[in-house]
Amino acid sequence: MHKLTQIAIKIITFILSFLVLLPLTAWANPVKTEHVQTHLVSEVNSIQPGKPFWVGLHFQIKQGWHTYWKNPGDSGAAPSIAWKLPQGFSAGELVYPYPERLPASGLMNFGYKDEVMLLSQITTPGTVNTKEPIQLTARADWLVCEKECIPENGTFSLSLPIATGTPTVNTRWAKEFEKTRATLPQDSPWQTTAHIQGETLILKVNAPQLQASQIKEVAFFPDQDGIINNPAPQKASFDKDGLTLLLERGNRGEVNQVTGILVLQEVLDRQTPTQAFAIATQLGAATTTQPATTASLPLWQVLGLALLGGIVLNLMPCVFPVLSLKALNVLQKSNFSKQEVRQRGIVFTAGVLISFLFLAVILLVLRSFGQQIGWGFQLQSPVFVSLMAYLLFAVGLSLSGVFIFGASLMGMGQTLAARNGLWGEFFTGVFATVVATPCTAPFMATAIGVALTQTPIVALAIFLVLGFGLALPYLLISFLPGLQKILPRPGAWMETFAQLLAFPMYAATAWLVWVLSQQAGSDGVAAVLFGLVLISFAVWLHQKTQIISGWRRRFGSIAALVVLGFALALAQLPGSIAPNVANSNTQQATSTSLNWQPYTPERLTQVRQSGKPVFVNFSAAWCITCLVNERVALNQPETVTAFQAKDVALLKADWTNRDTAITQALAAFGRSGVPLYLLYPANSATPQILPQILSPQEVQQKVKSL
C-alpha cells in the first residue's frame, strides 16, 4: 500500500510539473453558444514592445448556420469588436477573408459557413513599463443565422507576457492564421474600369492572360450595400482584353466609386484554387495598383524595341556558347566567294527566323489553350534541359575532333553546325535561337510582353523582328565586304581554334546539368550524366567501326544508334521526377548571402501589410541573366548591407519550373519571362521596376532612397 501511494505521488508530481512547464496559452477562454464556438487567439506567444502582431477572432459555426462578411448583403449584420487595451496599445480594423454568396429565399447574403477567422493587428508601444502579462480585452458581437437569426456576443480576455526577444509563434493556431491569410483579398494586379450603362454596372478587368477555359467561377462582392442587385446573376465574359463582368445595378442612387473584391476560381490541372483581389475604381475611370502595361505603345515602337532587343541579345551571356560556332563561320568566309558568303548569311538568318516563328507559334497555341507560359518556357521542362545538355555535349565532342556528323547521319554530307555547307549555316541559326532563349535582353521583354497581348499576326511579326535583330550582325558581315576584309586568313590554326571553342560547349553542358539538379534533384542529374556517358560510347563506337568494312561497319552503326536510343530514353526520366524539388533547392543555393523567402501572392500581401518595404526577384535557375545579376549586383556585400539597413523583405519568385501564380504576376507587369525586379516602398502599392541588367550601385541607390 505504501508503495502504491509513492507511485501515485510521483504520477501527480509529473502531471503538475508538465502543466507548469507548458507555455502560457496565447488564446482566450472560448465562448460557446448553441451555434458558434468563438476563440480570440494571438499569432504569437508573447509581446515584443514596438512590434505589431496579429490576433484572430475564430468562429467555429454549426453546420447549416452562417455568419456575415463586412457587407452582409440583403440581410444580416457584420461582426463587430470593441477593444479595451492598455495605454499605448491600439487595434486595427477587422480584416475579412473573401466571403461566399449565400442565397436565402430570393435574397443574397455574403458570409461564411463552417468556420472563419477575422484578423486584427495590435500595435504596441515602443516601451512597456511592466513585467506583468498584458491583458487584451475585447467584446465581440455577431449574428448567426439559419432560417432564423440569433444575435450573440462574447467577452474575451487575452493574457500575453512581455518578451525581450522575437516572440515565438503560437503553433496551436499557426495553421489557422496561414489558412486565413490565403483567403485574404490581394491588391489587384490589373487595371480595372467601371461604368454604368442603363441598369447595368460594367466592370472591365484588363487581364488578357485570363481565359474562359481556366476560370470556373467569377463573383464580385461590393464593399457597400446597394451598389449591385445582390441576387441578380453576374455575367462574366472573356476576350483578348480580359474579363468583363455585367452586374445589375442596386438601389443606390448616386455611385461615384466602386470598391469590393473580385473572387476568381481557377481550373488548374485537377485543382480549383480560389483567389480574391481588391478592386477600387472611380466610376468611368481606370485605376490600378500596378504600373500600366505597355500594350498601348504604337506598333512601330514595339517593333523597334524588338529589333534592339534582338541585337542586344547577341551580347547576353547565354548566347556565348554559340558564339564559338559563329566565330568559326565568320573566319571561314574568306574562303568563299561574295555570292556564297551572302547566301550563307541569308540561310543563317532563315534558320533564326524559322526557329523564332516556331517558338512563337507554340507559345501562342499553348496560351490559347489557357497555359500560363512565357519566354523560355521550354527550359521549364527537365526533358528539354536534358536534351539540350546532350546536344551541347555532342557539339563539343565534334569540335574537339572526337567525331564528325557524317553524311550517314545528316544525309547532307555536311556537319551539323561547325562545318561548311548551307545546312550547317541553317542549324547554326537554329542553335543560336535555342541557346538564346534562357536570356532576356533589355528592350525585348517589353516587346514580347506586348506581343502576347496582340493578335496572332502582330505577335508573330514582333517575334520575327526580334529574331531578325539576333541575326542582323552576322547578316551585315555577310553583305559588307569592308567587314570581311578585316577577318584573318584561314589556315591550320583554325583546327586548334575549333578545339579550343569546344570548351564553352562543355561549360554550357555543365550549367544545364546544374539547372537539372534544381528541377529534378540528384536522381535527374544521375540519369543525364549516365546519358552523356552513353552518348560518348555511341560516338566512339560509331567512329571506331567506320574504318572497317562489311557487316562489322553496319553492326557498329546500328549498335551506336541503339546506345543513343538508351541515352534518349534516360532523358525522359527527369521529367517524371517531382518538380517541387526545384524551388526549394534553388532557394537554398542562393540564400547564402541574402535571406530570400519563397514568393507567393499571399506572402507578398502579408509582408506589405506588415509595413515593410519588399524586394521581389523573379528569377529561374536556367536564366543566366538572372544568375549574373544575383552574382554581380544583389549578392554584393554593400547591397546586402543596404537591404538589411532598410529592413527590406526579400521574396524570390522561382520560375525554374512552371508556376501559374508567378506567370500571372509577370503578366501583370507586361512581362512573359524573367528576370523582373520589383521594389515596393513601405506603405506604397506601386512598386519601382528595376532594369533587367542590374548594377550594384543602382540597386543600392534605390534601396537607400526608401
Side-chain angles (χ1 to χ4, degrees), residues 327-455:
L328 278 177
N329 284 333
V330 168
L331 291 173
Q332 289 169 349
K333 290 189 180 308
S334 55
N335 282 335
F336 308 123
S337 66
K338 290 182 179 178
Q339 184 179 1
E340 287 176 310
V341 169
R342 291 175 179 177
Q343 192 177 32
R344 287 167 180 272
I346 292 173
V347 172
F348 170 82
T349 304
V352 173
L353 294 182
I354 290 175
S355 302
F356 266 83
L357 196 61
F358 182 71
L359 280 175
V361 169
I362 292 179
L363 193 61
L364 294 175
V365 169
L366 292 179
R367 288 178 71 92
S368 70
F369 284 104
Q371 297 292 315
Q372 295 294 317
I373 57 176
W375 179 253
F377 68 94
Q378 68 275 20
L379 285 161
Q380 294 173 333
S381 165
V383 176
F384 182 85
V385 173
S386 301
L387 295 176
M388 277 288 294
Y390 286 178
L391 177 61
L392 289 170
F393 184 64
V395 173
L397 291 177
S398 178
L399 289 171
S400 297
V402 177
F403 80 107
I404 297 173
F405 284 107
S408 58
L409 289 180
M410 297 302 297
M412 302 303 294
Q414 305 293 339
T415 59
L416 177 64
R419 303 292 174 177
N420 297 332
L422 295 181
W423 278 105
E425 294 284 353
F426 180 83
F427 280 110
T428 302
V430 174
F431 196 43
T433 304
V434 173
V435 175
T437 50
C439 276
T440 302
F443 311 113
M444 67 175 284
T446 301
I448 293 178
V450 173
L452 296 179
T453 65
Q454 302 299 310
T455 63

Side-chain angles (χ1 to χ4, degrees), residues 101-114:
R101 289 163 63 88
L102 303 171
S105 303
L107 303 178
M108 183 63 70
N109 297 322
F110 306 143
Y112 310 97
K113 295 188 292 188
D114 299 328

Side-chain angles (χ1 to χ4, degrees), residues 55-326:
V55 296
L57 190 63
H58 180 265
F59 295 90
Q60 188 70 45
I61 307 167
K62 184 179 179 180
Q63 186 175 8
W65 293 70
H66 61 266
T67 59
Y68 292 93
W69 189 50
K70 59 182 178 181
N71 173 11
D74 290 331
S75 64
S80 63
I81 189 167
W83 290 95
K84 184 178 180 182
L85 303 174
Q87 187 176 7
F89 286 72
S90 62
E93 298 291 332
L94 286 175
V95 179
Y96 292 79
Y98 66 79
E100 58 180 305
R101 289 163 63 88
L102 303 171
S105 303
L107 303 178
M108 183 63 70
N109 297 322
F110 306 143
Y112 310 97
K113 295 188 292 188
D114 299 328
E115 67 172 334
V116 66
M117 179 183 278
L118 310 180
L119 302 182
S120 183
Q121 190 177 43
I122 304 296
T123 302
T124 64
T127 57
V128 179
N129 299 321
T130 178
K131 295 182 180 179
E132 299 297 323
I134 297 298
Q135 298 293 325
L136 308 177
T137 304
R139 173 192 162 96
D141 292 81
W142 62 89
L143 187 66
V144 57
C145 297
E146 190 197 30
K147 293 179 181 178
E148 57 180 331
C149 290
I150 301 175
E152 297 181 344
N153 62 73
T155 299
F156 307 87
S157 182
L158 195 60
S159 178
L160 293 173
I162 301 297
T164 55
T166 302
T168 58
V169 174
N170 181 355
T171 55
R172 163 66 178 80
W173 290 94
K175 287 187 178 179
E176 293 298 331
F177 277 94
E178 181 181 355
K179 188 169 67 175
T180 299
R181 286 201 171 91
T183 59
L184 296 180
Q186 311 164 37
D187 291 339
S188 172
W190 305 302
Q191 186 181 49
T192 304
T193 59
H195 66 276
I196 290 176
Q197 184 174 337
E199 293 302 315
T200 304
L201 172 63
I202 302 175
L203 277 183
K204 284 183 175 292
V205 182
N206 184 15
Q209 66 273 28
L210 293 181
Q211 304 291 331
S213 59
Q214 69 181 98
I215 302 298
K216 182 179 179 181
E217 189 172 339
V218 179
F220 176 70
F221 296 88
D223 284 342
Q224 296 176 307
D225 187 33
I227 299 294
I228 64 172
N229 182 7
N230 296 324
Q234 300 187 357
K235 301 176 183 178
S237 62
F238 297 85
D239 57 21
K240 64 180 180 60
D241 296 324
L243 165 66
T244 299
L245 195 57
L246 304 181
L247 307 165
E248 188 174 319
R249 287 189 61 186
N251 54 14
R252 184 178 289 262
E254 184 178 356
V255 177
N256 298 319
Q257 185 181 36
V258 177
T259 61
I261 61 173
L262 181 69
V263 179
L264 303 176
Q265 188 175 43
E266 295 178 273
V267 179
L268 297 177
D269 297 328
R270 297 180 180 178
Q271 300 179 339
T272 54
T274 301
Q275 302 285 342
F277 301 94
I279 300 293
T281 180
Q282 296 294 324
L283 202 64
T287 184
T288 178
T289 56
Q290 308 286 16
T293 67
T294 53
S296 58
L297 286 176
L299 182 59
W300 68 270
Q301 286 189 19
V302 177
L303 294 175
L305 291 173
L307 182 64
L308 283 174
I311 295 172
V312 177
L313 190 58
N314 286 280
L315 304 177
M316 293 295 103
C318 57
V319 189
F320 179 69
V322 84
L323 288 180
S324 61
L325 298 180
K326 297 172 75 174

